[in-house]
Amino acid sequence: MLKDNGIFFNEPSISAEALRNFLSDCSRKFKELCILDAALEISLFDHLDSLKSADELSSEIGINYVILKNMCEILANLGFIKKEDESFKNTQLSSYYLKSNSFFYQKEVLKNIKNGFELWRRLTNVLENGPIKILEENCFQDNLIHSLASEILCGELQKTVRIIEKFPEFRKAKKLLDLGGGHGLCSIAFTRLNKDLEAYIFDFPDVIKDTEDYIKKFKAKRINVISGNLFKDDIGNGYDIVFFSYNPGGKNPNLVPKINSSLKEGGLFITKHAFYHRGEGSRDYLLDVEWNLSAFEGVQKGSKIYSFAEDFSYEDYLDLLEKYFSIERIVEEDEFGFYSYLSKFGDTLGSKIIIAKKKFGSAF
Ligand SMILES: C[S@@+](CC[C@H](N)C(=O)[O-])C[C@H]1O[C@@H](n2cnc3c(N)ncnc32)[C@H](O)[C@@H]1O
C-alpha cells in the first residue's frame, strides 16, 4: 500500500517546473490565438486605420468594452496594433495581413489552423479507431484552397514565378497546364508575365468553382479551367509547359508518362513538391501525426507528411525523369519558400522545384 504520510510536508524530489512551464506556454499561446481569432471575427483591424480609444471602438463595433480594452492591450503587446496614449492603431503588419480588404489578408490561414485543431481534438479516437476518412476533394474544398492562396501570396508565389520567368521556354510558351492548380494564382501570374500565354487550370469539379472566383477576382485573362481527376481523366495535350505544384500525385511515377505525353517536344515539366530522399526519416513528427489523423478515400497516404503509398523517392523520381527529360534546374526551398513554418498542412517543408525539358523523341 502506498503511504501518503510525507507528501504534505516534503516537496517532491523531482521539480514540476518543466511540465508547468510547458503547460503554461501552451495555455497562454492558445488564449492569444483566441484573441487574434476573435479580433479577425469582429473585423477589429478594419476599424483601426486611425487611432481610436477602446471606448470609441466598443461603440463603433457594438461590443463589450471591458474585454475589448484588454484584447487591445494584448494585441498591442503582441505587436499587431500599437498604442499611443490611450488609443490604438494598426501596425504595418496588420494593415497588410489582417485587414479584410487587403490582397494579403490571412484570416483563411487561421481558419485552416483551426480546422486542423478539430482533427487534433480527435487524436485519441484516431489512435483507437483509425484515421478519419475524408474525400480528398472535400479536403481541398473546405477552406484549404483559400488558405493556400493567402499564404502563397506572402512571398512564395512571387519568388516561384520569377524563377520560372527566366527560362526562355517560358517566355516563348503559348499553352500551359496548371495541374491541380487549385486557386489558380500561379497561372494568373504566369499569364500576366507572358501576354501570349493561354493557361489551363485542371482540378476537381468542386475546386474549379473556387478557381473561377479567383479568376474573376483578379480579372484574369486567357485562363481556362478543366474539371476532372488527374489520376483518371484526360489532361489534354500540346502544352509548352506543365506546371505541377503541391499535389498528391507529385511523386507518383505513374503520372510521369501521362505528363510527358501531354507536352510538346522540348516542353517544360515544372514540378514543385516535398520529395523525400531514399531512406529519409521524419522531417517533422508533429506534422506526420497530423497527416495520419485523416485518410483520403482516393489515394493512400504514407506515414510522413505529404507522402503517399505509391510515391517514388527523390532519387528514383529523378532517375525516371531523366529517361524522358533533361533536368534543366533544381531549385531548393530557400529560394522560394519560407524558413519559418506555421507547422501545419500547407507549409513548404523542404520542397524543391525541378524544371525538366522533354527530350526530343522521348514520347512514352
Ligand atoms: C495543395 S493544393 C495545391 C494548389 C496549387 N497548385 C498550389 O501550388 O498552391 C493541391 C491541389 O491539387 C488538387 N488535386 C488533388 N488531387 C487531385 C486529383 N486527383 N485530380 C485533380 N486535382 C487534384 C486539389 O484539389 C488542390 O487544388
Side-chain angles (χ1 to χ4, degrees), residues 136-137 140-141 144-145 148-149 152 178-184 186 202-204 207 228-231 243-249 272 299 345:
E136 198 194 342
E137 292 94 307
F140 291 107
Q141 218 184 313
L144 184 57
I145 281 304
L148 293 175
I152 204 169
D178 188 351
L179 200 50
H183 43 69
C186 299
F202 187 105
D203 215 300
F204 288 125
V207 177
N229 181 333
L230 62 88
F231 285 107
F243 181 71
F244 196 26
S245 160
Y246 298 145
N247 189 276
K272 174 157 78 156
V299 220
F345 192 60

Side-chain angles (χ1 to χ4, degrees), residues 314-325:
Y314 177 56
E315 290 75 13
D316 292 344
Y317 198 83
L318 270 188
D319 284 349
L320 174 64
L321 281 186
E322 276 170 344
K323 289 196 180 129
Y324 307 97
F325 297 89

Side-chain angles (χ1 to χ4, degrees), residues 66-80:
V66 178
I67 298 181
L68 181 66
K69 164 87 170 72
N70 290 332
M71 270 177 66
C72 287
E73 298 287 354
I74 295 160
L75 289 168
N77 283 337
L78 291 171
F80 294 130

Side-chain angles (χ1 to χ4, degrees), residues 149-166:
S150 311
E151 261 182 286
I152 204 169
L153 275 169
C154 291
E156 185 179 339
L157 172 78
Q158 300 84 342
K159 286 181 183 159
T160 302
V161 298
R162 282 205 304 268
I163 290 166
I164 292 162
E165 166 193 36
K166 295 205 175 76

Side-chain angles (χ1 to χ4, degrees), residues 100-113:
S100 65
N101 64 356
S102 166
F103 283 120
F104 302 107
Y105 190 40
Q106 296 295 302
K107 185 178 175 185
E108 292 291 339
V109 178
L110 182 48
K111 191 168 167 205
N112 180 237
I113 291 174

